[in-house]
Amino acid sequence: MAPQDSYQDDRIASAVCSGSAYDRVRYERYSFFRQTVPRTLTAQSGVLALLALTLPMYGLYPESAATYLPATDPAVASPKAVLLAVFGGGMILLSAALLVATGLYRARISPLTEAQAHSVIDAEDFARYVGLGTGGLAVLLSVCLFAVGLGGGDAIGTYVATTGRNPFVDSGTGLSVETLALVAYAASVLLFFVGRYLSVRLLPTTQ
């Protein structure tokens, strides 16, 4: 057995035998996203930081892309691609709020009963799937749409010809690329530090 596998098995065995209902239920239950709450918040922080990259990306668009854009200035441009980005970012923030609430709840009433542990983990699993699953996928797709513009007019024209849609037409919302990116960056920094805070508050549990 590899050292990494042995270490993981030891952590699981320690959690199951620790007497903590939360730790035992968490490791006994299957979940695609197995990160702790602080690590999930850190991962979501990274996804939002990726979304913030849309601002420098938009600023690097070649002049040939201008005919497909609502404006070349990211401070005023509001392409339709921002709508998908807002949806993804919103899902991540809702997920983060739920994770923070469950983390603070655990810190306040620990140790949890068996029933409380199941309820908390149900909420955490739901938040992870909403945030890293739905929200993360939406953010990734929106960033990929913005990346198309880096190829200039030819790349955007090929995309439009293939899909029949131009993701850079005006969204009509007035939400600029610059505003989207700055909010995403601020939220990314906030989630990172909240995750660090909870990593301390939830000790000495497995978090």
Side-chain angles (χ1 to χ4, degrees):
M1 181 179 295
Q4 180 71 20
D5 294 336
S6 178
Y7 173 73
Q8 183 67 14
D9 290 342
D10 289 344
R11 285 191 63 192
I12 294 174
S14 177
V16 171
C17 299
S18 68
S20 167
Y22 174 86
D23 293 338
R24 185 175 67 255
V25 173
R26 176 171 173 262
Y27 278 108
E28 288 177 348
R29 180 185 298 192
Y30 171 79
S31 177
F32 183 78
F33 297 108
R34 293 295 300 271
Q35 302 94 337
T36 62
V37 168
R39 288 182 180 177
T40 302
L41 291 172
T42 300
Q44 292 178 329
S45 170
V47 175
L48 290 176
L50 177 65
L51 184 57
L53 292 178
T54 54
L55 176 56
M57 287 170 62
Y58 198 93
L60 291 173
Y61 285 178
E63 292 183 4
S64 59
T67 56
Y68 293 94
L69 306 178
T72 56
D73 183 358
V76 296
S78 179
K80 269 193 173 181
V82 302
L83 300 179
L84 181 60
V86 169
F87 171 77
M91 289 296 99
I92 290 175
L93 291 178
L94 286 175
S95 164
L98 181 55
L99 287 173
V100 171
T102 61
L104 293 177
Y105 175 77
R106 283 170 49 204
R108 183 171 62 87
I109 70 168
S110 183
L112 275 63
T113 65
E114 188 87 10
Q116 289 171 335
H118 279 285
S119 297
V120 167
I121 293 174
D122 284 341
E124 290 178 356
D125 284 345
F126 173 76
R128 290 187 183 96
Y129 279 103
V130 168
L132 293 179
T134 304
L137 179 60
V139 167
L140 180 61
L141 290 175
S142 65
V143 171
C144 288
L145 286 178
F146 276 96
V148 172
L150 293 173
D154 290 341
I156 299 177
T158 300
Y159 179 89
V160 172
T162 302
T163 64
R165 296 180 179 180
N166 179 7
F168 297 104
V169 297
D170 191 83
S171 68
T173 64
L175 177 64
S176 70
V177 175
E178 181 179 75
T179 300
L180 169 70
L182 292 178
V183 171
Y185 177 75
S188 172
V189 173
L190 176 63
L191 290 191
F192 177 82
F193 284 106
V194 170
R196 296 303 89 208
Y197 169 76
L198 285 180
S199 69
V200 175
R201 282 294 306 272
L202 296 177
L203 289 176
T205 71
T206 57
Q207 302 179 14

